[in-house]
Amino acid sequence: MVDITHKISTLRVATATAIVKVSKQETIDAVVNNLVPKGNVFEMAKTAGLFAVKNTHLSIPDCHPLPIEFTSVEYQIEGLEIHIIFKVKTVYKTGVEVEAMHGASIVALTMYDMLKPIDKEIEISTIKLINKEGGKSSFKNKFPNAIKAAVFVCSDSIFAGDKEDRSGRTIVEKLDSYGVETSHYEIIPDELDIIQAKTKAYAKENQLVIFTGGTGLSPRDVTPEALEPILESRIPGIEEAIRNYGQQRMPYAMLSRSVAGTLGNSLVLALPGSTNGVKESMDAVFPHVMHVFHILKGKNHDSL
């Protein structure tokens, strides 16, 4: 199966449809008036669909087991066609499109099985996804101009040439995958005044200023102390999201002192210095964190 451990859980919704076409009006009348010998077609088919959707991963090899938290089945009769509308919801890391289509398919097959004694020319067609919501695709932000970022690696040892930077490069690669241009990349020592000076200078021309390193508990880890006095607004929710995401994967994440806040129209982030810590921090909040740039321009959530 595809690795989804790096994803975050969001509300996922999918609606699928299937069409059962009968050959005569008498079949429709029997369904509507509950005169089919095998029983109530609508209720039996719905029950079969509810069982099926919860067990999709047992039938489709690459589907992940996931909690199905809501399912609805509706029917619309149009001439000799019974349209099945199957909706599924969950809060999870991956979508429920296949689950919705699987459910609609089983509803249609159950109808076929129940109606074949009275109608030998039934057809099943148009099993398809109508719409889906959730995941990163539902939280894309569109901007008239490219988002620019300045990335700084805070490390005495890397600055001295004793170690190679990996965390900063990871940030640059991640930003590129989100369509963010890294306009500046620099390695600096763990010095409070340098961190403050770089933040003030580069926040003027970049919407993102990201630091990696200096968020631990050693005497030289001063990135939070440097940023906190100059940030205009702290954003605790971003900090909480980063630590919560990391804690679910590695118990030491609670010791990180990641910082998030604004300076002018720039979002400033202080992320861990380890490569895994940076990767997980980026996965925790990007790309949806860029919604902040709309808010900084005075737009509200509902207008976007």
Side-chain angles (χ1 to χ4, degrees):
M1 292 189 292
V2 175
D3 184 3
I4 61 171
T5 56
H6 64 286
K7 293 186 176 183
I8 62 170
S9 293
T10 59
L11 174 62
R12 311 279 184 150
V13 184
T15 305
T17 186
I19 298 175
V20 174
K21 185 177 181 180
V22 302
S23 66
K24 52 191 176 182
Q25 183 61 41
E26 289 82 355
T27 306
I28 295 293
D29 294 339
V31 172
V32 172
N33 296 315
N34 195 18
L35 298 175
V36 176
K38 284 192 174 184
N40 188 307
V41 174
F42 285 150
E43 289 304 315
M44 288 285 286
K46 176 180 178 180
T47 301
L50 296 180
F51 278 120
V53 72
K54 291 183 283 189
N55 291 285
T56 302
H57 66 284
L58 298 179
S59 302
I60 312 297
D62 205 38
C63 280
H64 296 81
L66 48 78
I68 301 298
E69 298 178 338
F70 172 81
T71 302
S72 68
V73 182
E74 297 179 4
Y75 304 104
Q76 295 177 358
I77 297 176
E78 299 180 11
L80 297 180
E81 295 181 345
I82 302 174
H83 291 247
I84 302 157
I85 299 93
F86 201 101
K87 187 173 187 178
V88 182
K89 290 184 180 182
T90 189
V91 177
Y92 199 60
K93 301 174 184 178
T94 189
V96 286
E97 304 98 288
V98 175
E99 284 75 9
M101 287 189 285
H102 183 222
S105 302
I106 296 301
V107 170
L109 283 169
T110 304
M111 284 188 169
Y112 176 90
D113 180 64
M114 296 185 72
L115 295 175
K116 65 183 180 181
I118 63 173
D119 193 331
K120 302 300 183 182
E121 299 180 19
I122 299 173
E123 298 178 4
I124 295 174
S125 66
T126 320
I127 299 170
K128 68 176 183 179
L129 182 71
I130 298 176
N131 60 61
K132 67 171 185 174
E133 302 171 26
K136 289 183 178 180
S137 61
S138 293
F139 296 98
K140 288 183 178 179
N141 293 278
K142 296 182 179 180
F143 304 97
N145 302 306
I147 299 295
K148 293 185 178 182
V151 177
F152 295 95
V153 179
C154 300
S155 172
D156 291 333
S157 58
I158 296 176
F159 182 75
D162 299 330
K163 291 174 59 179
E164 179 185 356
D165 169 52
R166 294 182 180 178
S167 298
R169 294 299 181 186
T170 296
I171 293 175
V172 172
E173 291 173 4
K174 285 283 190 181
L175 291 174
D176 182 65
S177 71
Y178 302 133
V180 177
E181 175 188 342
T182 300
S183 65
H184 184 81
Y185 162 82
E186 186 178 354
I187 298 169
I188 60 176
D190 290 304
E191 296 291 347
L192 188 146
D193 55 343
I194 294 177
I195 295 170
Q196 289 184 338
K198 295 294 183 181
T199 305
K200 293 175 182 177
Y202 284 88
K204 296 176 182 178
E205 301 295 333
N206 295 271
Q207 291 94 336
L208 275 166
V209 178
I210 305 179
F211 293 88
T212 172
T215 62
L217 297 170
S218 75
R220 292 291 292 167
D221 288 331
V222 296
T223 306
E225 286 76 13
L227 295 178
E228 288 167 357
I230 63 174
L231 293 178
E232 295 169 351
S233 297
R234 289 285 292 276
I235 312 178
I238 296 177
E239 300 169 4
E240 293 163 5
I242 290 172
R243 275 187 282 273
N244 180 62
Y245 183 97
Q247 190 68 22
Q248 292 177 25
R249 289 155 178 80
M250 205 275 287
Y252 300 150
M254 63 183 176
L255 301 177
S256 176
R257 298 187 297 142
S258 297
V259 173
T262 61
L263 182 59
N265 289 322
S266 181
L267 173 64
V268 181
L269 301 174
L271 306 180
S274 70
T275 305
N276 282 339
V278 158
K279 181 180 181 300
E280 291 174 356
S281 297
M282 296 291 287
D283 287 338
V285 298
F286 277 88
H288 35 283
V289 73
M290 291 192 290
H291 182 70
V292 72
F293 302 126
H294 291 302
I295 304 305
L296 288 172
K297 291 182 179 179
K299 298 181 180 179
N300 59 47
H301 299 285
D302 295 332
S303 66
L304 301 172

